[in-house]
Amino acid sequence: MKTKILLLLLFGWAGVIFGQISKFKERHILFVYERDSDKKQNGNNKEDSLIYIYFVNNTNQKEEIISSNYDSHSNLISRTIKGGKVLDWSKKQVLTFKILEDNGVIVDQDDTKIKLKANIKAEKGRLYIYPWKFNGAKEDKINKFIKNNTFCIELKDNVNFAVNMHEWQAGVMTIPLKAYIGRRNKENTGGMVETGVGIGGYAGWKFLAKTHFVKLNHEEDYRVYVSGLSINGLLGLSAVQLADDNSNDNSVTFRGKFPALNTGIALGAHYKELGLLLSFGWDIPLNKYGSNWNFKGKPWVGIGLGYKLF
């Protein structure tokens, strides 16, 4: 009964954590540089491969033509127009240091770049940028500018554009390899390395991370993936095998499996949704038979695998 209650609590905790973390958004960091003093713009410093942020006023709209029909003399017969209007990106402008300064961003005399915190979404052949609101003396002016315009980045073909980011994350994990540090009964040496597979969840903060946007010439849509490091809390369940060589008191006759709650912390290395977790923690027995376990109350180090859900 106790095990079932702990299971419910575990998955209840995971549901609450995952639900809360899913409300957080990725925080991407972009820069707009003062070009007279720094010829770098969100990428490398080669003039032919600079990556600029563009914007267009939301009032600049046009009808979107889906298809056109012509006769044999190339005269237009008819056009199919999509309902509603779309932004006219032919009127786009480059977002510059001066434009942001003129629209209320406070900068010091020695500043050569302005940092933008934003969410980025790959859609319809562009990277749409949704800047976060500014805080400051002229926040009303700059935030009005952000509201009245739409921002994007247009990548050339075969470019891997990486943007610094950080975020809260959560996922499921297993720790298939553990090594216990110390034991209660020094004479029994079995079970110091465990290879059993448990199941649990992790939640933490991803840092030193980048979101990669890749535009290949034979693909219309962008490829998007994230890489980076994280620090996480762990909570899971596993089944521990109690045997003669890993018991504390050999006079206790019970031999078999008992459930244990896995708690700990982990440093993660992530690529896309997969994560490698270098973990440290403790296993807490969930019934009376676990009190005879030689590693009760002893810490462990382990290697785990995680899959990001949120």
Side-chain angles (χ1 to χ4, degrees):
M1 183 64 181
K2 186 187 294 186
T3 302
K4 293 180 179 179
I5 293 175
L6 262 295
L7 277 170
L8 290 174
L9 289 176
L10 171 62
F11 288 107
W13 169 84
V16 170
I17 294 296
F18 293 169
Q20 291 297 319
I21 289 178
S22 65
K23 297 178 183 179
F24 289 94
K25 297 179 179 179
E26 296 176 351
R27 299 183 182 185
H28 294 100
I29 306 298
L30 296 166
F31 292 98
V32 176
Y33 290 86
E34 210 297 308
R35 294 188 200 167
D36 292 337
S37 59
D38 194 336
K39 286 289 185 180
K40 184 169 62 174
Q41 192 85 6
N42 287 307
N44 49 56
N45 54 11
K46 294 180 180 179
E47 188 66 32
D48 60 349
S49 60
L50 296 181
I51 295 174
Y52 296 115
I53 299 174
Y54 297 100
F55 73 97
V56 63
N57 192 282
N58 293 333
T59 60
N60 290 326
Q61 297 187 358
K62 65 177 182 179
E63 294 177 331
E64 183 177 12
I65 299 174
I66 299 176
S67 62
S68 300
N69 295 319
Y70 299 88
D71 60 19
S72 58
H73 300 288
S74 299
N75 297 314
L76 179 65
I77 300 175
S78 63
R79 280 177 174 164
T80 303
I81 298 176
K82 186 176 181 179
K85 293 186 176 182
V86 296
L87 289 172
D88 186 358
W89 283 102
S90 66
K91 299 180 180 179
K92 67 187 179 185
Q93 303 178 61
V94 175
L95 184 65
T96 63
F97 187 100
K98 188 175 187 308
I99 288 175
L100 287 175
E101 188 177 16
D102 291 344
N103 281 278
V105 175
I106 305 298
V107 296
D108 295 329
Q109 185 176 359
D110 297 331
D111 286 345
T112 60
K113 61 183 178 181
I114 296 174
K115 180 167 69 173
L116 293 179
K117 294 181 179 180
N119 300 101
I120 302 178
K121 183 179 181 181
E123 186 178 7
K124 297 180 180 178
R126 294 184 177 90
L127 300 182
Y128 283 89
I129 300 170
Y130 302 94
W132 289 33
K133 288 185 177 180
F134 279 80
N135 295 316
K138 301 180 182 179
E139 62 181 29
D140 290 342
K141 186 175 182 180
I142 182 58
N143 289 331
K144 183 178 179 180
F145 173 75
I146 290 173
K147 181 180 179 181
N148 292 337
N149 293 276
T150 298
F151 304 84
C152 83
I153 289 174
E154 297 177 347
L155 294 184
K156 297 180 180 179
D157 290 340
N158 302 318
V159 171
N160 187 330
F161 176 50
V163 186
N164 293 331
M165 58 85 70
H166 48 267
E167 66 172 348
W168 291 100
Q169 64 168 9
V172 293
M173 61 89 189
T174 183
I175 303 177
L177 180 62
K178 291 180 184 177
Y180 292 94
I181 304 173
R183 56 189 186 276
R184 297 158 69 194
N185 186 337
K186 304 300 183 182
E187 295 181 0
N188 287 344
T189 60
M192 292 194 69
V193 177
E194 291 287 342
T195 57
V197 177
I199 187 69
Y202 70 90
W205 179 248
K206 186 179 287 181
F207 61 97
L208 294 179
K210 293 181 180 292
T211 300
H212 299 260
F213 300 93
V214 183
K215 179 65 171 66
L216 300 179
N217 57 3
H218 62 282
E219 295 180 351
E220 182 177 353
D221 295 328
Y222 288 87
R223 296 187 181 187
V224 183
Y225 66 93
V226 175
S227 61
L229 303 178
S230 69
I231 186 71
N232 308 276
L234 307 177
L235 191 61
L237 285 174
S238 63
V240 178
Q241 179 70 45
L242 186 62
D244 291 338
D245 61 355
N246 69 350
S247 63
N248 180 52
D249 184 355
N250 290 333
S251 66
V252 179
T253 59
F254 173 80
R255 297 293 181 265
K257 290 185 178 182
F258 63 87
L261 182 68
N262 314 132
T263 61
I265 58 174
L267 178 67
H270 302 269
Y271 176 74
K272 296 184 178 179
E273 282 75 34
L274 298 178
L276 181 66
L277 305 174
L278 180 60
S279 312
F280 177 84
W282 286 263
D283 292 339
I284 304 172
L286 297 180
N287 63 23
K288 63 181 181 180
Y289 301 114
S291 63
N292 189 37
W293 185 37
N294 204 16
F295 304 103
K296 179 183 177 182
K298 300 297 181 181
W300 50 260
V301 293
I303 297 177
L305 300 174
Y307 186 86
K308 179 188 172 186
L309 297 178
F310 301 98

